[in-house]
Amino acid sequence: MKVWLGLLLAATCMMARAAEANDPMLPPSDLVLRAISGTPEVRRAEAGVATADAQARMRASGSYEGQVTVIPQRRRVEGDRNYNEWELDVTRPIRLPGKAKLDREIGATGLQAAQLSLEDAHHAAARRLLAAWSDWQRARLERGQLQQLVDIARRDRDAVARRVTLGDAAERERLATESALAQAQAALLRAQSLQTQAELNWRSVFPSLPLPERDAEQAYAPPALQGDDESWVKLIVARSHEVGASEALARQKDAEARRARADRVPDPTVGIRMLNDLGGRERAYGVVLGIPLGGSYRQAEAAKAGADALAAEADLAVVRRDIEQGARTVVASARASHGIWQSQRDALQAASASAAKAARAYALGEAGIAELLAARRTEQEAMLAERQAAVDALEAVTRVQVDAHAIWHRHDGDNDEAPSSGLPALPDLGG
């Protein structure tokens, strides 16, 4: 199973990189990664790695620092002179065998959890980038489609106005075209506002990655999700950095619980002691040994650490459950979105045929302007629905690839080698 999963992963990464390289409409991978790395969430996670690294070094060295205690004093002896005296103690706590190993384990697992959290922050930013890009695409498509509808409505208005002037059409037909044009213009203004909002949202989150400036293409077909659904789910779960970070955190909490249990046997303090009394006439040297007397506090601390470890295990189970559920959801969404697009494509073909018949009937005087306007409005609505459904399908397929870490991940699959898997990448639709 592990070998099979590794081969599938390698093939997925290779094909995703190849698709990115061959599709000039897709944002360049290096710019995407740079934009993702520049987000504040990723930068904060990088700071978290630096913090965890410092904490790991702190635990490895330990807080067992030496202490020097100097006690100067002056002795007065009745009937004798005064004497300057001093006492010097040099002590240091000593970690008992096994505790240093546990401290290193705690620091290492904490660092691993922070590193995986950084990768998870990178993954979350990739998903935000995909969502923002798709929102802008949908807004741009709606604006472009409504612009076409306004142009058509304006031509219809002008044509009917000429026919009214020539006496070939009634005034009510001109009023109908005026109303249709006004409605289309109002819808266009709304779409332009939505596109502006989408652009502002994009530039506020990913300012270093410019939006494409190309005109929208007239038609395109989104790729279907290749491969087996269960394989995709297993791949997404296996590659989840969130699961990995939770596993590392659970191991850290377990090590902390074992460390707390070990601390029920206190660490001793050893050192040397030097005395200088009666102005140097008396001198003493000794060894200092201090042993804390553990009690109920250490027992409670060990119990708390054990409870924290159990809670971390439960959190890990929740994360695994949610990641698997989310993986099944995005894979199912990719399948459903492609099916929805196919249905919308069939609806568009039917609406286009109906609009063409209505135009011929109107030209022959067999239908009125109301029938023609209704047929054209239905065709334009069907065209917009089809194109937006295509964006939805593209986004859903790419979301699966992003969650499987096949694209837009800086550390995944750098040295993978495997046969081609035929997995699609998300093309840019133009702008």
Side-chain angles (χ1 to χ4, degrees):
M1 175 62 72
K2 290 183 178 179
V3 173
W4 170 85
L5 194 59
L7 290 176
L8 176 60
L9 168 62
T12 303
C13 293
M14 286 187 65
M15 286 307 302
R17 290 200 303 268
E20 284 187 76
N22 295 332
D23 190 348
M25 303 296 286
L26 192 68
S29 179
D30 56 340
L31 294 183
V32 170
L33 295 178
R34 189 181 308 164
I36 290 173
S37 298
T39 59
E41 293 84 357
V42 172
R43 292 200 302 270
R44 193 208 178 287
E46 290 173 345
V49 172
T51 299
D53 178 65
Q55 289 175 339
R57 288 185 281 111
M58 289 165 59
R59 285 189 174 274
S61 61
S63 60
Y64 297 80
E65 298 177 342
Q67 178 174 322
V68 177
T69 303
V70 179
I71 306 176
Q73 60 188 22
R74 185 174 179 82
R75 184 189 299 270
R76 290 188 60 186
V77 179
E78 191 69 28
D80 198 353
R81 64 186 180 86
N82 297 336
Y83 296 95
N84 292 323
E85 301 177 349
W86 53 266
E87 177 182 339
L88 174 66
D89 294 346
V90 180
T91 58
R92 185 182 188 278
I94 302 297
R95 267 190 293 193
L96 292 177
K99 292 186 177 181
K101 181 180 178 181
L102 286 172
D103 285 338
R104 288 192 296 269
E105 181 180 349
I106 293 170
T109 51
L111 178 58
Q112 183 183 18
Q115 291 169 337
L116 290 169
S117 295
L118 169 59
E119 297 306 320
D120 189 56
H122 196 276
H123 170 235
R127 296 201 304 189
R128 283 195 301 272
L129 188 147
L130 174 63
W133 181 86
S134 300
D135 288 344
W136 175 79
Q137 290 284 18
R138 281 185 283 267
R140 179 185 57 82
L141 286 174
E142 183 176 8
R143 188 268 307 157
Q145 203 66 43
L146 290 174
Q147 181 63 63
Q148 293 182 22
L149 184 58
V150 167
D151 295 340
I152 293 173
R154 185 176 288 111
R155 289 197 300 268
D156 287 341
R157 192 264 326 257
D158 295 342
V160 170
R162 287 193 296 270
R163 291 184 62 185
V164 170
T165 302
L166 296 175
D168 292 338
E171 179 66 16
R172 60 183 176 81
E173 293 186 350
R174 187 188 66 79
L175 293 177
T177 58
E178 289 283 0
S179 176
L181 175 60
Q183 291 177 358
Q185 288 174 331
L188 176 60
L189 290 174
R190 173 183 172 278
Q192 289 173 338
S193 175
L194 292 177
Q195 182 181 0
T196 299
Q197 293 176 25
E199 290 178 355
L200 291 174
N201 177 65
W202 175 274
R203 293 192 173 98
S204 66
V205 181
F206 303 104
S208 64
L209 184 57
L211 293 169
E213 299 293 338
R214 303 179 181 87
D215 293 333
E217 298 185 18
Q218 296 301 314
Y220 58 89
L225 183 65
Q226 304 297 317
D228 176 70
D229 287 6
E230 194 62 26
S231 298
W232 277 112
V233 171
K234 290 180 180 178
L235 185 61
I236 291 172
V237 174
R239 301 224 65 196
S240 171
H241 289 131
E242 187 176 357
V243 171
S246 296
E247 289 176 342
L249 183 59
R251 291 196 303 272
Q252 183 187 40
K253 292 298 182 181
D254 178 70
E256 288 177 352
R258 287 182 278 127
R259 181 65 166 84
R261 288 195 296 270
D263 256 346
R264 294 183 63 181
V265 178
D267 294 316
T269 299
V270 298
I272 59 174
R273 185 182 188 187
M274 292 177 285
L275 299 176
N276 188 309
D277 289 347
L278 297 177
R281 293 167 59 185
E282 293 185 8
R283 295 185 180 183
Y285 302 90
V287 176
V288 178
L289 176 62
I291 300 179
L293 300 177
S296 59
Y297 178 83
R298 290 177 184 267
Q299 290 179 332
E301 189 175 34
K304 174 186 177 299
D308 288 342
L310 292 176
E313 286 291 339
D315 290 341
L316 173 58
V318 171
V319 170
R320 281 176 174 161
R321 180 198 65 192
D322 293 346
I323 292 297
E324 182 173 353
Q325 179 183 0
R328 295 188 184 281
T329 299
V330 297
V331 171
S333 177
R335 298 292 185 198
S337 296
H338 195 267
I340 292 171
W341 167 75
Q342 289 177 322
S343 297
Q344 293 289 0
R345 179 190 57 186
D346 296 339
L348 173 59
Q349 292 174 351
S352 297
S354 176
K357 290 181 180 179
R360 288 195 297 270
Y362 179 74
L364 296 174
E366 299 175 353
I369 188 64
E371 290 83 355
L372 175 60
L373 293 177
R376 283 182 171 172
R377 182 167 57 251
T378 300
E379 180 187 25
Q380 291 298 318
E381 290 174 352
M383 186 176 296
L384 176 59
E386 184 272 339
R387 301 197 70 182
Q388 290 190 330
V391 174
D392 293 343
L394 286 168
E395 180 183 12
V397 170
T398 308
R399 172 63 183 271
V400 173
Q401 292 183 349
V402 169
D403 284 353
H405 298 183
I407 60 173
W408 298 351
H409 284 269
R410 53 185 176 178
H411 299 312
D412 295 335
D414 291 338
N415 299 312
D416 292 331
E417 293 183 5
S420 170
S421 66
L423 297 173
L426 175 63
D428 189 300
L429 303 179

